[in-house]
Amino acid sequence: MALLHFTARRIAQMVVTIVIIVPLTFLLFRAVPGDPGAAVIGPDLDPSVAETLRERYGLDEPLAVQFTRYLGGLVQGDLGMSFQYKQPVGDILLGKLVNTAVLVVPAITLALVLGTALGALAARRRGLLDALLRNGAFVAKASPVFWTATLGLLLFSYRLEWLPSIGMSTPGQGAAGAGPALFASPDFWWHLILPLAVMTLYLVPEPMLTMRTAMAEIMHEDFIALGRAQGMSTARSTYLHAARNAMLPVVSLMPALTGVIIGGQVIIETIFSWPGMGRTIVDAVNTFDYPMMQGVFLLTALMAVAVNAVIDVLYAYLDPRVRLS
Amino acid sequence: MTSSSVPVRGSVWRGKVATGALRVGRSLWSTPSGRAALLIVGTFLLIAALAPVIATFGPLERVRGAHGGLARLLPPSVTHPFGTTNFGRDVFSQVVWGTRRTLTIAGIAALATALIGLNIGLIAGYLGGKVDAVLMRLADSAYAIPFLPLALVLVGIFGRSDMVLVLAIAALFWRTTARVVRSQVLSLKERSFVKAAVVSGASRRRVLYVHIAPNVASLAILYGMLLVAEAVLAEASLSFLGMAPPNTVSWGTIMFDAFTSQEMRRAWWWPLFPGLAIMLFVFALSLLGRAHESLQRRRLETSP
Amino acid sequence: MSSILDVRGLTVEYPAGPAAAVRDLSFSIGAGEVLGLIGESGSGKTTAAKAILRLLPASARVAGQITFEGADLAAMPEKRLRRLRWERLALVPQAAMNCLDPVQQVDRQLAEVIRMHRHTPRRQALALAKEALDKIGIPADRAAAYPHQYSGGMRQRALIAMATLLRPHLLIADEPTTGLDVIVQDRIMALLADAKRELGLSMLLVTHDLGVAAEICDRVVVLKDGEGVESGPVAEVLGAPRHPYTRRLLDQTAGGRSGDRPQEARTEPVAVSLDRLRVRHTTGRGLAALRGSRQVTAVDDVSMLVREGEIVGLAGESGCGKSSLVSALVGLTAISGGRVRIGQATLDPEKADWRPLRSQVQLVFQDPYESLNPRFTVRREVAEPLLAQLGLPDEEVDRRVTAALEAAELRPVEKYATRRPHELSGGERQRVAIARALVLEPRVLLADEPVSMLDRSTGGEIVRLLRRLAEELRVAVILVSHDLSVLRQICDRIGIMYLGRLVETGPADQVLDHPRHPYTRALLDAVPSPDPSARRTRVLLPGEPPSALDRPPGCAFHDRCQLAEQRCHHDLPVLSSDSHAAACWFPIDGPLADSSTR
């Protein structure tokens, strides 16, 4: 019951956040310097054509009317037409989203599993191993992802020639395009290794350091000492009780990580020519494809909002102190 | 009773930021890792300040060899410690000039962001109620908006400029400082010395800026430091994606040039050194953060 | 008597610490015997207990011989020790918030203990756990709650149930009553005594409270700076102490009356009067708090007056509303109903501008370690109210600060003026807080548990200082304390609060020696006496301590009162205007001693 109440409250908060973000985005793209319609109609048009288009898109109407129309479109999944592709933005992004997901979902999973395991290990062992792991994590955190990606390319693709350097598949070989056929081919998995490794390395320090700190703190809590006095084995008290409590800060870290994940994804997709959402927004900026920019931006922001809400509810489910207060 | 010279009146803020930073710096110097980090950061600051003296060539200067040809893609040597680019530019000099530019932008952005975050956190935490609820919803929204896409959109709309870079950083990164300061204020607000100030008749502004704010100052300084690190990474990422103003040289733009030139395969030194500079600088700042934290912990443990 | 635990020459050292935490400590506990380890905080008593259980951090160096039922505990391999733990040697820790795993239900935690040692099916272990909790008064529907949903007393009881689950031979109880209200403490002591009787176990009780030790221990060891300074049967050690340290501990506990108080009724002008004061809080968080959906009445219908130079004490358990009352009187919490009159000024819910009254009412806080701004010098701290309120010239500020420090007996003033809080002791800090409160020359001084964080002797000095200030400066003092012996020392009159209402008021001697309300009586009865020959009847109140969230109808005390009758369930008794009055339908008559035969 309490959890249901919490979930309802969190959804209400999510709606408030969306209500802030959507109009801001709308206004932002109306602020394009020069012709106020440029963001919708496209650059470098013949003035008379631009005039007709402006009327057709209703750009001479008041902002409020435009916003209502814009909202109506959003609700139906209409994100406008891409200047570059001459296709609906929504259709293009759907394919790109899948490509992004096949890289980012395994990376997050790997980073969480590795991070919590290494963090717990560092907290348990202390000493040299801890110092190595901890400083390694700080070095990894300080390294910009485009640098580690570049070094990875230099070593594994150029020098050793073990791994392919760009794209999701070798041109003219195996299955082209997206879809199940592509993901089934070994060639695709071959291409996935390097970007996935770089992304995982980029994401692993945060959960690891959080887990380590939380474990170290919880090992000092009275209930751990009491467990030992009750004859509990060290392994049981560490991995059952301490780790279970230490996972909570790791879960609550996730919302703050979404921005980091998306940023890393943009850069990695650019470097490895991975045809996902991140690369698409960089291309859109370079080609002044405003509807595309807006589409990617809104979609990522809304997804981040939704994911954060889900994580908060998950956290409440895991921690009775939040759920039952 | 002789009236001794300790003044009871006057602004508590007078010179407090400077002495506060000095005190934080001095305590950091007392730990080995803090000292190492301060030395690294200090060296970078020195390089930024003395860039014209240290750099052997101009940032965009095309160096010609002995026979008059461009010094293209030369590996590291005594004349070119970090090698040269495909346009014959000296990477070492570029990194030195880039230090100046990166640190200036990151410094300005971090200062602006820390001030915004500090004040929002103070006000939200102290006033509470509806003001707090509204400000924290804003912070939630700032958390939800991913930085890089927003920055790219801003560049797409307003063009490539330093203002846009600073704006993008300040528009979002205030959220962490604001949250941390807010939670600190919430706990300070319950401390009885703050209640005592209220009971003794201090106005709300006096309570906030005379009694509470000085006690979160060291936290704000710490987060300001970490913000510099975040700003460096943010600036470098954007520059690497080609979003820096044209004809500027920063750590990120050197990497961008190296990547787009398609010459990385031959010139490993070109991307290596600017990236190393970023890593070293950001790592040193995080070391400072850690040293600060462990000092705080030690202070807590030794106090009665 | 065969000994169950034998400790010889126990010494604990920390490489970082300056001196040994425990030095050459020897004692033994016989079967069925209760041994008390007593001493002030920092005397090494908890360290000694942990050393026996081998629970000290790895950095501690432990020497000496610890023999438990014939086996050497210190040399025992970890694996054997693990089997011994809890089966035969169990611990009751001080019930801090984090003694139980916060993310696991309490009954599961008890069941886990059973299953670690016995091959009991999960369901059966859970049933056993519930049964054990039920026995200590936690009903089945509360057994599956999480630790944060329990009160401090419930957590402590659950920890006792946990410790006695496997019927151990020796129970080590480490400050099991610290931080609990007297009535709750009394119940814990009863539980420990029951466990000892029913299971026939031996006990090592670590405590700083001589009253607790006198009541349940057979023998005691007094610790000072890690060394045992005196030991023997409790009647001898506490009845006729030989070591000066033990004597000092006993003197501090006794808490005699200080100074003569006028016996006739005071006639001075009224400094502050409360008329049917009510304070409400809004609970709940987030959107619920904005709507103000859930209102809790923390203070209800409280009327009283304090004259100049008079000290009125307020007592009651935590959550009774005494702190809310104080906080409303200084304007930190809004008044929801009634009126406060201070001098000529009147405040009510409609007209609640505290600004002009700030100089009239001042407050001394409970915790001296956080009531001073860590960045201010003493002079700046004390001057702050003047700087914030009055635009006085520098010389005048300086003069008044010096006078206030003098009044708080911080002499020589020049020596203290430039110090910062971390350079002061707890007692000195509390004096600075008093000086800060006095610098505005208020009519009314409130003190909220001003000595509960200080050790006994320092607390006594602070309390005597308050008495002197009331007499010399003619300031009216309202002193809030959970400790009736503190109030007895200096108060002219005392008010007892229960669930936000005053249930008894009267002259201090009358209320404390001839209580009329059954609740006051219960409070007084629950205090253990450090005199080992004193035998008191334990009157345990049934049920959990009340919560303002869920106030019973009629007399709020009726569900825990032994004298309650039908009428108490729906009619709310009110205080009469007599000088000694109790809000009770069936007040107790006659002195305390006569009715103890009940």
Side-chain angles (χ1 to χ4, degrees):
Chain A
M1 244 357 260
L3 188 61
L4 213 66
H5 187 239
F6 182 88
T7 310
R9 220 172 59 198
R10 193 59 188 80
I11 289 175
Q13 273 181 24
M14 183 174 88
V15 171
V16 173
T17 312
I18 292 175
V19 166
I20 295 176
I21 289 179
V22 171
L24 273 183
T25 313
F26 172 78
L27 286 177
L28 199 60
F29 280 91
R30 289 299 175 283
V32 175
D35 191 334
V40 181
I41 302 166
D44 310 328
L45 274 179
D46 179 53
S48 62
V49 183
E51 193 51 44
T52 5
L53 283 175
R54 191 161 295 133
E55 264 169 41
R56 185 180 332 147
Y57 285 109
L59 289 176
D60 38 9
E61 290 178 61
L63 266 185
V65 178
Q66 289 186 44
F67 182 63
T68 319
R69 203 195 330 275
Y70 170 81
L71 265 186
L74 269 191
V75 172
Q76 293 164 28
D78 177 12
L79 292 166
M81 284 293 238
S82 159
F83 297 163
Q84 200 194 354
Y85 296 85
K86 315 285 183 226
Q87 277 175 30
V89 168
D91 296 355
I92 300 169
L93 287 185
L94 218 57
K96 306 281 185 193
L97 188 61
V98 175
N99 292 345
T100 295
V102 294
L103 177 51
V104 83
V105 171
I108 294 173
T109 316
L110 266 176
L112 281 180
V113 171
L114 271 176
T116 47
L118 290 175
L121 191 70
R124 271 276 281 122
R125 287 291 153 79
R126 289 306 171 103
L128 186 65
L129 182 69
D130 177 34
L132 276 178
L133 282 172
R134 202 150 59 106
N135 286 298
F138 275 105
V139 169
K141 224 179 108 169
S143 307
V145 65
F146 50 83
W147 188 57
T148 42
T150 305
L151 295 186
L153 274 178
L154 279 176
L155 184 64
F156 295 106
S157 300
Y158 300 159
R159 181 59 51 99
L160 300 170
E161 300 190 349
W162 286 353
L163 295 167
S165 60
I166 56 163
M168 292 171 74
S169 59
T170 316
Q173 214 190 75
L182 173 72
F183 302 137
S185 77
D187 183 57
F188 161 75
W189 294 100
W190 198 234
H191 279 79
L192 185 64
I193 294 176
L194 196 52
L196 180 60
V198 173
M199 187 71 182
T200 307
L201 180 70
Y202 167 69
L203 293 180
V204 97
E206 284 288 353
M208 188 196 130
L209 292 169
T210 309
M211 184 73 182
R212 184 196 164 276
T213 314
M215 279 287 276
E217 265 167 26
I218 286 158
M219 293 302 283
H220 281 122
E221 295 277 354
D222 293 344
F223 69 88
I224 295 293
L226 189 63
R228 279 186 55 212
Q230 288 164 352
M232 197 181 284
S233 66
T234 328
R236 188 183 174 95
S237 76
T238 310
Y239 295 111
L240 204 73
H241 291 267
R244 193 174 156 188
N245 276 279
M247 287 297 285
L248 293 174
V250 177
V251 173
S252 66
L253 168 79
M254 293 304 293
L257 267 190
T258 46
V260 174
I261 295 170
I262 292 167
Q265 188 70 14
V266 169
I267 287 171
I268 286 181
E269 287 182 6
T270 306
I271 290 183
F272 292 99
S273 296
W274 193 271
M277 302 253 290
R279 211 179 110 91
T280 308
I281 192 172
V282 177
D283 284 348
V285 172
N286 285 327
T287 56
F288 297 97
D289 191 345
Y290 292 109
M292 188 62 105
M293 271 188 248
Q294 191 175 352
V296 179
F297 178 70
L298 254 184
L299 203 61
T300 41
L302 295 186
M303 278 190 325
V305 173
V307 167
N308 289 355
V310 170
I311 290 167
D312 279 357
V313 171
L314 176 73
Y315 184 88
Y317 173 73
L318 293 175
D319 191 343
R321 283 163 296 187
V322 176
R323 178 169 21 120
L324 301 173
S325 69
Chain B
M1 161 76 198
T2 54
S3 175
S4 69
S5 61
V6 183
V8 286
R9 205 178 276 274
S11 161
V12 275
W13 280 103
R14 194 185 298 148
K16 276 289 156 69
V17 175
T19 54
L22 207 68
R23 197 175 46 233
V24 171
R26 201 177 298 145
S27 65
L28 287 175
W29 186 256
S30 67
T31 64
S33 61
R35 196 174 308 174
L38 279 177
L39 279 176
I40 298 175
V41 172
T43 309
F44 273 110
L45 287 176
L46 217 62
I47 291 173
L50 302 176
V53 184
I54 297 169
T56 38
F57 300 95
L60 296 168
E61 185 181 343
R62 308 178 99 182
V63 182
R64 294 191 177 277
H67 304 291
L70 270 183
R72 289 170 52 108
L73 297 174
L74 296 178
S77 64
V78 179
T79 348
H80 305 291
F82 295 173
T84 63
T85 76
N86 61 342
F87 288 118
R89 289 174 181 144
D90 178 50
V91 178
F92 173 74
S93 302
Q94 286 202 310
V95 169
V96 169
W97 287 107
T99 306
R100 173 177 266 200
R101 182 177 162 73
T102 303
L103 294 200
T104 311
I105 292 181
I108 292 171
L111 190 68
T113 313
L115 282 178
I116 296 173
L118 175 67
N119 282 290
I120 288 185
L122 280 173
I123 290 167
Y126 189 63
L127 293 186
K130 286 175 186 160
V131 178
D132 183 32
V134 168
L135 288 176
M136 283 305 107
R137 279 296 79 71
L138 259 177
D140 281 351
S141 310
Y143 263 111
I145 297 173
F147 168 73
L148 215 46
L150 175 75
L152 287 170
V153 162
L154 288 179
V155 170
I157 292 173
F158 300 108
R160 292 157 166 78
S161 79
D162 295 344
M163 250 323 271
V164 172
L165 270 175
V166 173
L167 194 76
I169 292 171
L172 294 188
F173 286 176
W174 59 269
R175 59 200 179 187
T176 317
T177 316
R179 279 224 176 143
V180 173
V181 168
R182 172 179 172 271
S183 71
Q184 187 82 0
V185 171
L186 283 181
S187 99
L188 282 171
K189 200 164 76 165
E190 294 306 313
R191 295 271 288 277
S192 29
F193 77 84
V194 173
K195 289 189 175 174
V198 177
V199 171
S200 68
S203 63
R204 281 211 291 215
R205 192 190 304 183
R206 188 177 179 93
V207 172
L208 193 53
Y209 287 98
V210 173
H211 293 271
I212 293 180
N215 285 295
V216 295
S218 83
L219 196 74
I221 291 171
L222 170 71
Y223 272 81
M225 238 154 48
L226 298 180
L227 272 173
V228 173
E230 280 198 68
V232 165
L233 286 174
E235 190 273 340
S237 299
L238 272 178
S239 301
F240 175 76
L241 293 172
M243 302 299 155
N247 294 324
T248 54
V249 175
S250 74
W251 292 338
T253 63
I254 309 174
M255 298 276 304
F256 172 68
D257 289 340
F259 182 71
T260 46
S261 71
Q262 305 282 337
E263 301 284 5
M264 281 198 321
R265 203 176 279 269
R266 280 192 282 164
W268 53 267
W269 53 87
W270 192 355
L272 180 70
F273 292 105
L276 201 62
I278 300 174
M279 194 274 277
L280 207 59
F281 184 69
V282 173
F283 180 71
L285 285 175
S286 75
L287 263 188
L288 280 186
R290 281 154 74 191
H292 184 88
E293 265 170 41
S294 67
L295 277 174
Q296 294 289 74
R297 197 168 320 126
R298 202 182 311 161
R299 204 164 298 149
L300 274 181
E301 277 163 8
T302 51
S303 72
Chain C
M1 190 160 37
S2 68
S3 73
I4 188 163
L5 179 75
D6 197 48
V7 175
R8 288 281 152 255
L10 179 67
T11 299
V12 182
E13 281 174 313
Y14 289 101
V22 177
R23 200 175 321 140
D24 198 20
L25 180 66
S26 301
F27 59 83
S28 67
I29 304 178
E33 189 184 39
V34 180
L35 179 84
L37 269 185
I38 58 184
E40 289 175 305
S41 58
S43 62
K45 53 193 193 306
T46 292
T47 309
K50 283 192 171 161
I52 294 165
L53 287 158
R54 276 185 40 192
L55 283 179
L56 290 174
S59 60
R61 272 199 297 262
V62 183
Q65 211 175 20
I66 304 164
T67 318
F68 174 67
E69 298 191 322
D72 186 0
L73 276 186
M76 189 177 286
E78 183 74 24
K79 216 166 181 180
R80 242 188 86 204
L81 180 69
R82 225 159 66 203
R83 254 173 313 180
L84 205 76
R85 282 174 169 169
W86 232 252
E87 283 275 6
R88 291 200 259 155
L89 181 65
L91 167 73
V92 177
Q94 184 185 336
M97 186 65 215
N98 52 3
C99 264
L100 294 161
D101 189 338
V103 301
Q104 215 182 6
Q105 284 133 313
V106 175
D107 56 350
R108 307 261 149 119
Q109 300 191 37
L110 268 76
E112 188 188 4
V113 172
I114 300 175
R115 282 167 53 77
M116 268 190 311
H117 291 273
R118 309 270 158 86
H119 297 285
T120 316
R122 188 179 298 273
R123 188 169 299 182
Q124 201 184 333
L126 207 59
L128 282 172
K130 280 190 199 296
E131 194 184 306
L133 286 170
D134 188 58
K135 228 177 101 195
I136 50 121
I138 294 176
D141 61 323
R142 303 277 284 130
Y146 289 92
H148 75 276
Q149 297 172 302
Y150 276 18
S151 66
M154 284 170 84
R155 276 199 296 273
Q156 189 70 71
R157 268 146 56 205
L159 286 167
I160 291 177
M162 203 176 209
T164 49
L165 264 180
L166 305 180
R167 303 177 153 265
H169 301 174
L170 176 67
L171 199 62
I172 296 183
D174 184 8
E175 297 274 13
T177 62
T178 305
L180 301 174
D181 279 315
V182 277
I183 290 180
V184 182
Q185 158 171 306
D186 204 30
R187 191 155 175 196
I188 298 296
M189 283 164 64
L191 269 181
L192 287 174
D194 287 352
K196 180 199 155 196
R197 203 179 46 244
E198 282 172 29
L199 305 178
L201 45 71
S202 314
M203 206 185 300
L204 177 65
L205 177 73
V206 175
T207 184
H208 71 280
D209 189 327
L210 299 193
V212 170
E215 222 171 271
I216 36 183
C217 293
D218 301 311
R219 287 189 306 125
V220 290
V221 177
V222 182
L223 250 72
K224 177 179 185 284
D225 300 330
E227 273 182 287
V229 294
E230 185 165 2
S231 68
V234 69
E236 272 176 36
V237 175
L238 297 184
R242 268 169 300 169
H243 198 277
Y245 178 73
T246 318
R247 233 170 288 147
R248 215 184 78 210
L249 284 179
L250 268 171
D251 287 348
Q252 289 166 12
T253 309
R257 182 158 314 173
S258 71
D260 288 325
R261 271 162 286 163
Q263 290 302 307
E264 68 277 11
R266 288 180 177 266
T267 52
E268 289 96 338
V270 173
V272 55
S273 76
L274 318 183
D275 184 19
R276 312 206 65 176
L277 187 71
R278 170 174 297 168
V279 178
R280 282 207 175 120
H281 292 301
T282 309
T283 62
R285 293 188 315 189
L287 300 171
L290 286 184
R291 282 199 311 272
S293 59
R294 207 165 175 201
Q295 292 260 317
V296 171
T297 306
V299 176
D300 197 12
D301 200 22
V302 167
S303 303
M304 66 182 210
L305 51 86
V306 187
R307 296 178 183 277
E308 289 177 5
E310 189 180 31
I311 301 186
V312 172
L314 276 180
E317 290 170 285
S318 47
C320 72
K322 52 192 196 299
S323 291
S324 299
L325 179 63
V326 165
S327 147
L329 283 182
V330 291
L332 287 173
T333 310
I335 300 170
S336 324
R339 252 183 329 180
V340 178
R341 194 191 303 254
I342 293 165
Q344 300 308 310
T346 308
L347 283 168
D348 53 44
E350 280 77 46
K351 193 170 112 344
D353 181 16
W354 275 95
R355 279 311 198 84
L357 278 176
R358 288 287 189 219
S359 59
Q360 307 272 324
V361 193
Q362 284 296 308
L363 172 61
V364 176
F365 292 85
Q366 173 175 19
D367 186 350
Y369 290 96
E370 60 167 44
S371 70
L372 304 182
N373 191 328
R375 297 188 179 273
F376 282 0
T377 59
V378 166
R379 179 193 302 276
R380 179 76 167 79
E381 184 72 55
V382 177
E384 179 60 19
L386 298 174
L387 301 181
Q389 283 201 13
L390 318 165
L392 296 174
D394 285 0
E395 308 81 64
E396 179 64 10
V397 169
D398 217 45
R399 192 190 62 73
R400 285 177 70 165
V401 168
T402 307
L405 289 171
E406 290 270 0
E409 296 171 355
L410 280 166
R411 296 190 205 104
V413 169
E414 308 88 74
K415 186 177 130 205
Y416 285 103
T418 53
R419 293 200 182 164
R420 285 175 205 275
H422 64 91
E423 299 168 298
L424 302 173
S425 71
E428 286 167 341
R429 289 180 204 214
Q430 207 57 306
R431 286 173 192 274
V432 174
I434 291 173
R436 179 184 56 198
L438 290 176
V439 78
L440 287 167
E441 292 163 11
R443 273 166 184 275
V444 184
L445 183 63
L446 301 163
D448 187 3
E449 301 273 8
V451 300
S452 69
M453 311 278 289
L454 304 174
D455 65 50
R456 278 266 171 185
S457 49
T458 317
E461 288 167 22
I462 296 291
V463 166
R464 280 190 289 279
L465 171 64
L466 287 176
R467 178 82 242 168
R468 224 205 64 220
L469 293 173
E471 272 154 23
E472 289 175 9
L473 306 178
R474 310 310 297 162
V475 60
V477 177
I478 298 180
L479 173 63
V480 171
S481 176
H482 69 281
D483 186 342
L484 295 172
S485 71
V486 167
L487 299 184
R488 187 190 281 274
Q489 282 181 58
I490 58 161
C491 290
D492 296 295
R493 287 188 296 129
I494 285 180
I496 306 287
M497 288 182 78
Y498 187 81
L499 270 190
R501 290 177 149 264
L502 270 177
V503 295
E504 180 160 359
T505 58
D509 302 336
Q510 295 272 319
V511 172
L512 296 178
D513 295 335
H514 310 287
R516 304 198 67 207
H517 197 285
Y519 175 66
T520 313
R521 175 69 181 275
L523 272 183
L524 285 161
D525 276 348
V527 182
S529 161
D531 176 4
S533 60
R535 283 283 161 254
R536 71 190 171 95
T537 350
R538 177 171 284 133
V539 185
L540 289 178
L541 293 184
E544 300 301 327
S547 155
L549 281 171
D550 181 25
R551 198 192 148 85
C555 171
F557 188 58
H558 79 249
D559 55 351
R560 304 173 78 198
C561 181
Q562 297 188 325
L563 305 178
E565 291 183 19
Q566 203 50 43
R567 181 178 194 189
C568 308
H569 291 237
H570 32 77
D571 291 347
L572 182 66
V574 287
L575 274 182
S576 68
S577 56
D578 294 352
S579 79
H580 182 189
C584 178
W585 294 119
F586 307 103
I588 304 163
D589 285 320
L592 190 58
D594 297 347
S595 54
S596 61
T597 46
R598 188 178 43 172

